Amino acid sequence: MFFTYLRRELRRRRKAALVVASGLALGIALVIVVTSVSAGMGKAQDKVLESLYGLGTDMTVTKAAAPSGTGTERPRFRFDAQDEGSGGEQSSDRVMVQGFQTLASSTVGRVAAQDGVADAVGGLSLQVVKVSGEFTRGRVQQDGSGGQGGDQGSSQSGGPGGVQPSPQDRIEGGGADFDVNSYSVYGTDVTEPALGPLTSSRITGGRTFETSETDAAVAVADASYAKAKKLETGSTVTIRNTKFRVVGIATADSGDAAADLYIPLKRAQTLADAEDKVTTVYVKATDSQRIDGVKAAIGKNVPGTTVTTSADLADTVSGSLSTASSLATSVGRWLSIVVLVAAFLVAGLLTSSAVSRRVREFGTLKALGWKSGRVTRQVVGEAVVNGLVGGALGIALGLAGAYAVTAVSPTLQAQLGGGGGAGGGFGGMRAAPGGPGAQKTLDVALTAPVSLTTIALAVALAVTGGLIAGAFGGWRASRLRPADALRRVE
C-alpha cells in the first residue's frame, strides 16, 4: 500500500516533484564540482612539489647558504693570447656547489637514525660553468715614416722584445670570442634509486643507473637539455676533463627537471672537490602523520641544519595555482554550502506547501483510520524519493561539470620562491635565473577528479535533503485534524 500510494502521488504531482528535485540537484552538482576542483588543485600542487622533491620524499635537510661575502668565491678563468690565425680554441670549466653549503656525508646516517625516519639519502647539487673560445693578439699597423718595415705581430701593450707602438701607429685585429655554457649537475646516490629528485622523472630512453655504478663515468641527461645539446644514449659529455657516457634520457613528469645531468654521487664529489660532502638529505618518514615530529627531532638532534617539509614548501607557492586554490577552498566551498542550504530550505518549503494543498486528502485518510505517523511516513517517503531523484540529477550534472573542467584542462602557474643561495632552491631545485631569492614558475594543468567519496557524499546529501523536506511536510501533515481538514475544499 505504501509504495503503491507513493508511486501514484509522484506521478500525479510530477511538476512539483521535478521542481524540488531540480533545486536539490543544483546544490549537489555544485558541491561535486567544487569538491572535485579542490581535489584537482591538491593534485596539481602535489605535482609541483614532486617535481622538486621527487616521489616518496617527505622532507629535506639542508644547511643554509652562506651570507654574501663570507667565503664564497667567484669563478675565475684565465686564457693565454694566441697569434691570429692559429685557430686554437681554448676552454675552461669550473664546478661549484650549487645553492647550499655542504654537509658531511655522515649527516645522512645521523638523520636516518632518528625515530620515525624510514629512509634517508644524500645528494650533491652542482653548477658547471664552461667558457670556451678564442683569444688572439692584435697587430700593430705602423705608418711609412716609422721605419719599422710594415706590419708586425705584437701584443697590444708591447712587451720585452716586442715592437713599441708609436702614437701614430694603430692596432688592428685581435680580440676575444668566447661562449659561456652553464648547466646543473646532480650527484645521486645510485644505491638508493627510490628516493631523491630523479624519481620525479621517468626514463624515456636508455636506462637508469645500476646500483653497482657508484663510481662509474656515466650520466642520465634531462630530455630538454639533451634535445638542446643534441645528446642521445651513447653520447659523451665532458665535465672537468672527465668524459661521461650518457646511458639514459629522463623526462620530468611535470615542470622542469631538478638538474640537466645526473651522475653518481661519488663522481660529483670528486668533480667539486667535495669528498664526503652532500648538499641535501632527502628523508622519507615511516608515517605521514609523524612528519612534524620527525622534523622536530632532526632539528633538535642534528644541529646546524634546516629541515623543510612539503607543507613548508607549499606555503611558498604563489601565482594562479595558489589563487585558484584559495578561491576553491574559501569562496567555492562557502558558495556550495549556501546554495545547498538554500536548496534544502526551498525543498522543505515546497513540500510543506504541497502538504497544505493536500489538506482534504490527508484529512480523509485520517478519517479512514490512518494514524498521524503513517501520514508523516508517507510524506517523508515522497520527499526522500524526490531527494534521490535530485541526487541522481545532481550527480549527472556534477560529473558533466567535472568532465568539462578536465577536458578544458586550464593551465595554472605556480611560482616558487627561491630557497637558498644562487641557483639553488628547496631540496636541490634549480632556481630561475636571477640569483638568490629568484622565483621559479611552473605550468600545471588543472583536472577535476571525482572520487567515490564525492559520489557517496552526493547521495548522502540527497537523502538528507529529502529527509529535511519530509520533516517540514510531515510535521505539517501530522498536525491536521480530520474535522478541520474536511471543512476545506482543495
Side-chain angles (χ1 to χ4, degrees), residues 14-379:
R14 282 176 295 185
K15 290 184 179 181
L18 185 60
V19 171
V20 173
S22 298
L24 291 174
L26 180 61
I28 292 171
L30 186 58
V31 170
I32 291 176
V33 172
V34 171
T35 303
S36 60
V37 169
S38 297
M41 297 289 181
K43 284 193 172 184
Q45 196 166 64
D46 289 342
K47 283 185 178 181
V48 172
L49 301 183
E50 286 174 3
S51 71
L52 311 180
Y53 271 157
L55 295 174
T57 302
D58 294 315
M59 67 191 77
T60 60
V61 180
T62 59
K63 190 172 184 178
S68 179
T70 57
T72 56
E73 297 182 0
R74 300 173 68 89
R76 302 183 66 181
F77 301 89
R78 177 173 295 179
F79 298 93
D80 296 326
Q82 297 179 334
D83 292 332
E84 189 172 3
S86 63
E89 181 177 284
Q90 303 179 72
S91 66
S92 178
D93 54 5
R94 296 290 182 271
V95 181
M96 302 165 291
V97 173
Q98 173 180 276
F100 303 99
Q101 290 180 319
T102 56
L103 298 166
S105 295
S106 59
T107 306
V108 179
R110 295 174 62 188
V111 170
Q114 302 303 310
D115 185 37
V117 174
D119 198 5
V121 60
L124 186 64
S125 297
L126 305 177
Q127 189 73 22
V128 180
V129 180
K130 183 175 183 179
V131 179
S132 57
E134 297 181 359
F135 179 27
T136 57
R137 296 186 179 92
R139 293 180 299 128
V140 177
Q141 179 68 37
Q142 299 173 332
D143 58 16
S145 60
Q148 298 297 334
D151 298 344
Q152 297 184 31
S154 172
S155 64
Q156 181 174 348
S157 59
V163 177
Q164 299 293 335
S166 66
Q168 292 79 19
D169 296 338
R170 63 183 184 275
I171 298 176
E172 294 183 348
D177 183 13
F178 288 98
D179 177 60
V180 179
N181 180 26
S182 177
Y183 56 95
S184 58
V185 176
Y186 179 78
T188 181
D189 189 344
V190 298
T191 63
E192 296 279 356
L195 204 57
L198 185 55
T199 58
S200 64
S201 299
R202 50 192 172 83
I203 302 299
T204 53
R207 62 174 177 84
T208 188
F209 298 106
E210 297 178 354
T211 56
S212 60
E213 294 177 324
T214 56
D215 196 25
V218 293
V220 172
D222 173 59
S224 299
Y225 182 76
K227 182 178 180 181
K229 299 299 179 181
K230 298 180 180 179
L231 299 176
E232 57 185 17
T233 304
S235 301
T236 58
V237 179
T238 302
I239 307 175
R240 203 175 179 181
N241 299 323
T242 302
K243 290 186 177 182
F244 289 83
R245 181 170 58 89
V246 177
V247 296
I249 305 295
T251 303
D253 291 331
S254 63
D256 295 333
D260 295 318
L261 292 174
Y262 302 87
I263 62 176
L265 175 59
K266 190 172 182 180
R267 282 284 182 171
Q269 292 171 335
T270 301
L271 289 175
D273 294 326
E275 297 294 335
D276 296 323
K277 300 290 184 181
V278 296
T279 52
T280 311
V281 181
Y282 296 85
V283 183
K284 180 179 181 180
T286 55
D287 187 349
S288 60
Q289 302 299 320
R290 303 187 63 183
I291 290 178
D292 291 338
V294 173
K295 176 182 178 180
I298 295 175
K300 178 181 178 181
N301 300 324
V302 189
T305 58
T306 299
V307 184
T308 306
T309 65
S310 56
D312 297 330
L313 186 55
D315 292 338
T316 70
V317 177
S318 60
S320 58
L321 174 60
S322 176
T323 303
S325 180
S326 299
L327 288 174
T329 303
S330 56
V331 179
R333 185 168 298 175
W334 281 110
L335 178 62
S336 62
I337 291 175
V338 170
V339 172
L340 194 61
V341 170
F344 285 173
L345 290 176
V346 169
L349 292 175
L350 289 176
T351 303
S352 179
S353 176
V355 169
S356 66
R357 292 194 299 270
R358 299 166 65 185
V359 169
R360 186 180 181 190
E361 174 188 341
F362 291 136
T364 303
L365 292 174
K366 281 193 171 186
L368 293 175
W370 280 40
K371 300 293 184 182
S372 295
R374 186 176 180 182
V375 174
T376 301
R377 287 194 299 272
Q378 192 69 44
V379 174

Side-chain angles (χ1 to χ4, degrees), residues 460-487:
L461 291 175
V463 173
T464 302
L467 290 175
I468 291 175
F472 273 86
W475 174 79
R476 183 77 177 271
S478 65
R479 293 171 60 88
L480 293 175
R481 293 185 303 172
D484 294 336
L486 292 175
R487 293 194 192 101

